[in-house]
């Protein structure tokens, strides 16, 4: 059975947590980044974009999107992504992020199978 299906055969989408940030304190953000990545790994996730901090590559191709830094974390399921975000471990790290950056955070369900 593939990772994209539950035992009942129902499609289970991966979970993505997307951060759209402007870093106001690069040194402080570095401490958050290390803690955030550690908690991401502890929940079976990985960082897909946003490296290296605080630079990363964000290129506007269409529309008015004034983002400075876009970070995407991938988790095996939406439920795991949600549990990670609300966990005590990540919320301790999130406090550091909130002190060193401003922005938005989204939870997105995504494809976990070939088109």
């Amino acid at each position: 059975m593939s990772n994209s299906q539950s035992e009942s055969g129902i499609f289970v989408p991966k979970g993505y947590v997307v951060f759209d940030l402007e870093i106001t304190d690069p040194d402080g953000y570095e401490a958050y980044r290390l803690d955030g990545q550690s908690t991401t790994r502890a929940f079976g996730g990985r960082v897909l974009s946003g490296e290296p901090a605080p630079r990363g590559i964000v290129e506007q191709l269409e529309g008015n999107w004034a983002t400075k830094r876009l970070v995407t974390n991938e988790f095996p399921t939406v439920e795991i992504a949600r549990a990670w975000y609300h966990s005590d471990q990540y919320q301790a790290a999130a406090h550091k992020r909130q002190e060193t950056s401003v922005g938005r955070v989204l939870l997105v369900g995504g494809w976990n199978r070939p088109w």
Side-chain angles (χ1 to χ4, degrees), residues 5-99:
Q5 293 183 351
S6 70
E7 289 186 24
S8 63
I10 298 171
F11 171 70
V12 178
K14 286 192 176 188
Y16 298 90
V17 178
V18 181
F19 299 83
D20 180 3
L21 304 172
E22 180 175 352
I23 298 168
T24 56
D25 173 1
D27 293 334
Y29 185 86
E30 181 66 16
Y32 152 74
R33 186 181 68 83
L34 297 174
D35 289 350
Q37 287 181 359
S38 174
T39 64
T40 298
R41 287 189 301 273
F43 277 74
R46 63 187 179 135
V47 178
L48 295 180
S49 70
E51 291 303 319
R55 295 165 295 278
I57 297 171
V58 177
E59 179 180 342
Q60 179 180 325
L61 298 176
E62 290 187 30
N64 184 15
W65 193 342
T67 189
K68 303 285 185 184
R69 179 173 174 79
L70 197 66
V71 177
T72 306
N73 288 3
E74 177 187 65
F75 294 88
T77 68
V78 170
E79 290 76 18
I80 292 171
R82 186 179 292 115
W84 166 78
Y85 179 81
H86 292 292
S87 71
D88 291 341
Q89 300 94 319
Y90 180 68
Q91 285 302 306
H95 184 71
K96 292 179 184 178
R97 176 182 47 80
Q98 293 158 352
E99 290 179 339

